[in-house]
Amino acid sequence: MARESLDLVHGTVDVLILRTLAWGPMHGYGIKTFVRDRTSGAITIESAALYQALHRLEKKKLVRAWWGQSDTNRRAKYYELTAAGKRHSQSRLDTMREYVGALMRVLEAK
Amino acid sequence: MRRHRKYADVPRDDQRVQADVDDEIRFDIDMRVRDLVAQGMGADAAREQAVREFGDVDETRRYCASLDASTERAARRTAWLDDLREDILLAWRGMRRAPAFALVVLVTLAMGIGANTAIFSVVRRVLIDRLPYRDANQLLRVYAGTGPRGGSDYLTARELVDLADAPSLAGVAAFGSLGGATYYGDESTDMFSIASVTPNFFPVLGARAQVGRAIGEQDLAPDARPVVLLSDAIWQRVFGGDPRVVGRSIQLGPVSRSVIGVMPPDFESPTFTAEVWIPLDLRPFVADPVRSRTMRVLRGIARMKPDVSLDRVRSDGATISARWRDARPGSPDPVAPRVVPLRDAMVGDVGRALVAVMGAAIVVLVITCINIAGLFLARATARRRELAVRAALGAGRGRLVRQLLAESALYGIGGGALGVGLAFAAKRVLEVISAGSMPKFGEMHIDVALLVTTAIVSILCGVAFGLFPALVATRVDLKESLSESSRSSSAGASRTRGRQVLVTTQIALAMVLMIGAGLLLRSFAALVTTDLGYTADNHVLTFRVEAPPSLPRDQAARNAFFVDLLTRIRALPGVRSAAFTDISPWNGPNSVRPRIVAGSADDVDAPSAMYITATEDYFAATGTKILRGRSIRADDRPNAVPVALISDSLARRLFPAGNAIGSQILFEGGGGSSLDKWREVIGVVADVREMSSRSFMPAVYVSDWQEDPWRRPEFVVRTTGDAASIVPALRRMLREVSPRSPLLVPRTLREVMHLFIAPQELAMTLFTVFATIALALAALGVYAVMAYIVTARTREFGIRTALGAGRASVMLLVLRQGMVAAGIGCAAGLILSLAGARAIEGLIANVPAHDWITFVAAPIVLLGATLAACMIPAKVAVNVQPVEALRAE
């Protein structure tokens, strides 16, 4: 992913994470797998960006985390949405819809 | 519990945070490796690809860890606040559950903190705050004489001039207190206390007038009008704060003076009281070669040059002292200048009293804390089950200690708030007790700084009395505490020992206060009952009367006026005898002390004596015994033979052969004044003490009629009943005789005496109050502990009784336990007191610091009180019925 459009990248990654967690608590690798599977591999979140985003969201109290047991019986850090996170993800979703719509209008303009 | 806390519950350090981040990253990579391997990739290649895919691992590690660390800190803060809120809530509920307990704790604490706040506020003002003068630490009071109390407040003009030459001094100013001056207003007369000051007095203090100007050199010019400078208090009270008063003339005593200015409200004359000031001209004093060396009527203040030490001033003083010795060769008591920092001079005995009282207040607070600690300990023990339950639910010991501490801190704050209220109330009481002994700036004043100090002290107290019980109470054995019969298992030897240590400490501290109070009481009793040589009781009234301004200023007219007045006073109902004097042994340090010569005028060993003027009946009115000869008679008038009575010690000194009566004496160095004449000794009277220093002073009494006219004599009236009750009749009579002559400062000799012993009285009163509180608290502490021990051992006592132990042996068992603690406490207290008595040595007179009566009586009282406190639980123990005791559990 291009370094220069960091804002867009950050914003997009954040929305992806928040929308994914709306399905339920997951660990980082789970989120990554979920996004990749959902988009049939079209979108892959880079791990470095994912974890930085997760910790940032945790600090903002949009997600909370705890250590749990993964299905492979390993200690794994799980994340879930907080109430604030749910509200935030909804508003970000609206913004993103608008943004993508606008983008598409430009791109599809004949 | 709250889910989001799960993560924050266990605080993590930075290392742990990094480890968690690394764990998370490793988990991600491992999962990716597993998936890649599952897709058929070789293990090494899979790991290589997973790491590559991850992106910047190092940057992520650093970034996440630093984010988490700051999240962690924030969470810790929130958690701490949450816990605090919870602690306070729990404490508040605890208070409401046990209102009686809360009340006892709060009231006890409020008393301890209130006393400290009230006294500290005064201590701060008197001993710590800045004096209301510029660079006040450079200011000194100057005395003549040596020793702590010896010598005189008063200097001669020569001495003052010599002192001004001292290279270490920037200025020396003189003042003389003139007592009261009558102000004749348009409608009423009033009395101002008045002082004369040299023109450099205000510049030396660094004080300026708020309206007009202060006294200056121009007021001593040959053509200068008489002037007066007003204090703010007089300006407000008499002249309504009208600035136009400057320039107006007012009648003060016999002189009309023009007002030149008003001093600011916070200005106070150092070491003396004055409501108005007039100029003092030293030149006539200095010009007279004899009087300049003999007239001890001036008092001095000085300012050191900046950066000069007190030692430098003192060594200059020694040089001057040598000069003074040369001026009076062979003098038996060479006079040396003595300099004292102005604050010490202003504060005097009150300072020492305050420090001692502050110490006592702190000790009371410590006893209070120990007592409350005992109460908390007892309650914490009763709450062991509650604490055990909380511990079982996962609260750590630190958390429990914090909960208990929060509770005690809340009590501390509550007690502190009540204490400030009490301090306000105590302010009145303190003002009454300290009236007359406190410099004006020592008035109590409660401000923010004081409240902050009190708040800190309150919280510290809370922690102080809460910490020990909290530590003991949280040492819970879960299994033991939760099992129902926990009480029957022995109360825990260590816990009992803890209580006994608390009680012993309280008794020891109470002992110290009681010894202090005892010493002060004994000393005060000695002060009050000291034989002064005259009866300082409420049967003797003294007052001054000013001759009306219309009276011609000559001796005959003045004498006629006052003789008439004396006759009328004698005629008042209830009056037994009446006389007047102008210098008396109770009027502050006696200012005129001529040396008395018998026979040869060159006698270098001539003793100095108090010079007291008296009229007939003076000795009857004061109660001073005439040992030999006769009293002054009405016909000892100016044209008759000058007469004198001398005190016993002076008679023995001057006339060892016992031939005093009929001999002649001369005041040395009268230098042409009315003092300068041979007088015939007509009588010998008992020795008297100067009231301020309580020391015997040889005295000479002369007939007032034969001395310089004095416009405002002091009357001495002995009455059959309470002397103060004749004041209204006196005023009525005076209004008829001379409407413009007010009755000035009427007070009984007892009141006068109390002014002099006020600092001792202040210390004694407060010490006694504190010692009583300490005694009560200590007895309460003993009672509480013994009651606890008896309850804890109910079963044991039951068994003992069942096995045939007599009532006496059970009672002895209990009493012995209590009295051993009391005995150790007393012994420790006595040792502390032996050392501590030195601290109040300056306040006790006539009683040795290790006065054995006090050191015997105080332990007896204290042991008696603790014995009484032990008796109640002991009786309970004796009455334990074996069956009940065994059934109780």
Side-chain angles (χ1 to χ4, degrees), chain B residues 317-395:
Chain B
T319 314
I320 292 165
S321 159
R323 219 186 300 166
W324 292 357
R325 248 196 317 277
D326 295 344
R328 311 176 68 176
S331 172
D333 47 345
V335 178
R338 190 163 59 89
V339 291
V340 171
L342 187 62
R343 182 192 290 275
D344 294 356
M346 289 178 80
V347 166
D349 280 353
V350 177
R352 274 201 293 272
L354 277 178
V355 169
V357 167
M358 186 79 238
I362 291 172
V363 172
V364 167
L365 190 57
V366 171
I367 296 180
T368 309
C369 285
I370 295 177
N371 210 294
I372 298 175
L375 290 175
F376 267 80
L377 192 57
R379 203 166 71 116
T381 312
R383 281 165 64 182
R384 267 155 80 206
R385 277 177 56 86
E386 175 201 332
L387 292 175
V389 168
R390 277 179 60 81
L393 288 178

Side-chain angles (χ1 to χ4, degrees), chain A residues 27 66-78, chain B residues 27:
Chain A
H27 48 64
W66 75 91
W67 289 91
Q69 206 83 21
S70 80
D71 32 339
T72 55
N73 257 349
R74 277 191 56 172
R75 185 170 169 266
K77 196 177 172 189
Y78 283 86
Chain B
F27 174 76

Side-chain angles (χ1 to χ4, degrees), chain B residues 182 184 543-570 580 637 704-705 710-713 715 733-743:
Chain B
T182 316
Y184 299 97
F543 54 91
R544 288 182 187 272
V545 172
E546 178 135 38
S550 53
L551 201 69
R553 303 184 74 179
D554 69 66
Q555 198 170 2
R558 176 259 190 191
N559 281 358
F561 176 79
F562 286 117
V563 167
D564 174 53
L565 210 55
L566 266 187
T567 317
R568 287 168 187 271
I569 292 169
R570 288 196 187 105
F580 61 73
R637 289 297 162 102
D704 190 87
W705 311 116
W710 188 263
R711 296 194 62 82
R712 210 167 44 221
F715 284 79
M733 182 271 289
L734 202 56
R735 257 201 306 278
E736 279 167 31
V737 179
S738 172
R740 303 278 274 170
S741 295
L743 184 71

Side-chain angles (χ1 to χ4, degrees), chain B residues 151 161 178 213 221 264 479 481 588 622 629 644 667 682 809 853:
Chain B
V161 169
L178 303 179
R213 61 172 178 87
K479 227 174 93 191
S481 299
T622 59
F667 294 166
I682 54 167
S809 76
I853 294 181

Side-chain angles (χ1 to χ4, degrees), chain B residues 499-517:
Chain B
R499 289 151 179 285
Q500 273 168 338
V501 168
L502 288 184
V503 164
T504 309
T505 315
Q506 273 191 65
I507 290 176
L509 291 175
M511 188 78 223
V512 173
L513 285 191
M514 287 178 65
I515 297 264

Side-chain angles (χ1 to χ4, degrees), chain B residues 390-450:
Chain B
R390 277 179 60 81
L393 288 178
R397 185 174 177 202
R399 186 75 191 72
L400 288 183
V401 169
R402 255 193 55 188
Q403 184 205 326
L404 293 176
L405 273 187
E407 187 169 343
S408 53
L410 196 64
Y411 275 104
I413 293 166
L418 286 176
V420 170
L422 266 186
F424 267 109
K427 184 177 140 95
R428 283 272 168 71
V429 180
L430 261 188
E431 274 168 4
V432 172
I433 297 177
S434 66
S437 66
M438 203 67 74
K440 193 174 119 219
F441 63 86
E443 277 166 14
M444 193 170 138
H445 180 75
I446 293 183
D447 60 12
V448 175
L450 186 73

Side-chain angles (χ1 to χ4, degrees), chain B residues 159-368:
Chain B
E159 288 165 351
L160 277 166
V161 169
D162 286 352
L163 261 180
D165 284 346
S168 53
L169 294 180
V172 177
F175 62 91
S177 210
L178 303 179
T182 316
Y183 160 69
Y184 299 97
D186 294 336
E187 285 133 30
S188 61
T189 54
D190 208 326
M191 216 268 296
F192 301 162
S193 62
I194 181 169
S196 60
V197 298
T198 50
N200 65 342
F201 180 80
F202 292 101
V204 163
L205 285 180
R208 291 162 174 281
Q210 59 168 330
V211 180
R213 61 172 178 87
I215 289 164
E217 292 291 347
Q218 64 267 49
D219 297 317
L220 297 183
D223 55 345
R225 279 174 44 69
V227 296
V228 61
L229 175 66
L230 306 180
S231 65
D232 183 73
I234 289 294
W235 187 46
Q236 300 293 347
R237 176 163 70 82
V238 180
F239 303 102
D242 180 3
R244 284 169 307 175
V245 77
V246 173
R248 235 163 69 187
S249 281
I250 61 171
Q251 182 74 25
L252 260 188
V255 187
S256 166
R257 294 180 177 275
S258 107
V259 176
I260 53 168
V262 180
M263 290 307 288
D266 66 343
F267 180 80
E268 184 190 2
S269 300
T271 72
F272 65 99
T273 343
E275 291 169 315
V276 297
W277 299 269
I278 60 172
L280 169 64
D281 192 353
L282 276 189
R283 288 170 303 190
F285 290 92
V286 179
D288 184 328
V290 179
R291 285 188 157 202
S292 69
R293 291 199 296 112
T294 55
M295 288 266 294
R296 265 186 201 290
V297 292
L298 301 163
R299 291 186 280 175
I301 55 164
R303 179 179 285 279
M304 296 191 278
K305 285 185 179 148
D307 309 322
V308 163
S309 72
L310 199 56
D311 286 340
R312 267 280 304 286
V313 181
R314 291 200 166 126
S315 83
D316 283 357
T319 314
I320 292 165
S321 159
R323 219 186 300 166
W324 292 357
R325 248 196 317 277
D326 295 344
R328 311 176 68 176
S331 172
D333 47 345
V335 178
R338 190 163 59 89
V339 291
V340 171
L342 187 62
R343 182 192 290 275
D344 294 356
M346 289 178 80
V347 166
D349 280 353
V350 177
R352 274 201 293 272
L354 277 178
V355 169
V357 167
M358 186 79 238
I362 291 172
V363 172
V364 167
L365 190 57
V366 171
I367 296 180
T368 309

